[in-house]
Amino acid sequence: MPLIPEEPQIPESAQGPRVTPAAGRTAPTPRPVPGPRSAATPRPGSPGRGPARPAPPAQRPHPAPPVPAAPAPAAAGVPAARKLPEDSSAAQFQLIPAPAEGAVDAADEAVDLLLDSGRAPGDILVLTTGEQHPWAAHELSFGEAAYWAQHDAGDDVFFARTANADRCAPRSVVVVAVNGNLDETSARALSDARQRAGALLIVCGDPQKVNEALGAGV
């Protein structure tokens, strides 16, 4: 009986081409399917979206600044005011000793102190017994109508002579500069200024002359 030859063995090299990955290339890996992103999840690579900064420590409240005391109605640095003895209902009186040539400067300083202490400019009237105050002389150069219109407005310090005091409305504070001789007319106007002042009368001048004009015994 003839022998049946064995089936030839096919070598592996003859089993057809084998697919091998190309050099330098890796087999692709499956990409994950992205799921829903919450709003709190930072987007990678976004600028300025690093880890959240810690909240700054709470600041301690600062104490409230102290409320300054209400200023005194009288001018600081001026002799203490007092009532005139013969008229307890009159305004308080203050005397600032000053020579005639320095009375206007003393009155200006008194006005500055009054304003610094909280007095409203429209509360103050300044009278001179002699020459006009420089402010009044300047304003009168534009005419009396404009000058007295400022008086009627009543929103600023007003300057006038005692000879024209009867045209001035009463104000809370009247400052009189005795910058000239106190004749009978000026002395009477000085006495009337005491009634024109609602709260305070300040006189800058020679104490003896003021004493004779007011009979105040100062």
Side-chain angles (χ1 to χ4, degrees):
M1 178 174 182
L3 294 176
I4 300 174
E6 295 180 359
E7 293 185 12
Q9 299 291 328
I10 302 174
E12 293 183 4
S13 58
Q15 292 181 358
R18 175 176 295 178
V19 178
T20 58
R25 295 181 59 188
T26 58
T29 57
R31 300 179 62 183
V33 179
R37 186 187 301 274
S38 63
T41 305
R43 183 171 297 179
S46 298
R49 289 185 180 249
R53 297 182 180 178
Q59 297 182 355
R60 292 189 300 177
H62 296 285
V67 179
V78 178
R82 59 186 178 84
K83 294 287 187 180
L84 296 179
E86 72 274 13
D87 188 357
S88 59
S89 63
Q92 289 184 322
F93 174 79
Q94 291 180 355
L95 172 63
I96 300 178
E101 60 273 13
V104 171
D105 290 338
D108 287 342
E109 292 178 4
V111 170
D112 289 340
L113 291 171
L114 287 165
L115 296 175
D116 290 342
S117 70
R119 288 283 185 181
D123 290 344
I124 303 172
L125 171 66
V126 180
L127 300 174
T128 57
T129 61
E131 294 181 356
Q132 289 277 14
H133 188 280
W135 180 92
H138 176 266
E139 294 301 320
L140 281 168
S141 66
F142 299 101
E144 287 202 7
Y147 168 74
W148 287 106
Q150 296 187 56
H151 166 268
D152 296 340
D155 54 2
D156 204 351
V157 181
F158 190 74
F159 301 81
R161 294 187 61 198
T162 52
N164 298 322
D166 57 343
R167 293 189 61 178
C168 298
R171 295 200 178 189
S172 297
V173 181
V174 175
V175 181
V176 181
V178 184
N179 61 335
N181 293 328
L182 274 175
D183 55 19
E184 182 179 354
T185 302
S186 298
R188 184 168 56 253
L190 182 60
S191 181
D192 292 343
R194 181 178 54 186
Q195 306 299 329
R196 199 167 299 278
L200 179 63
L201 171 65
I202 299 176
V203 179
C204 305
D206 181 84
Q208 183 178 356
K209 294 180 180 180
V210 174
N211 178 34
E212 293 174 357
L214 291 177
V218 295

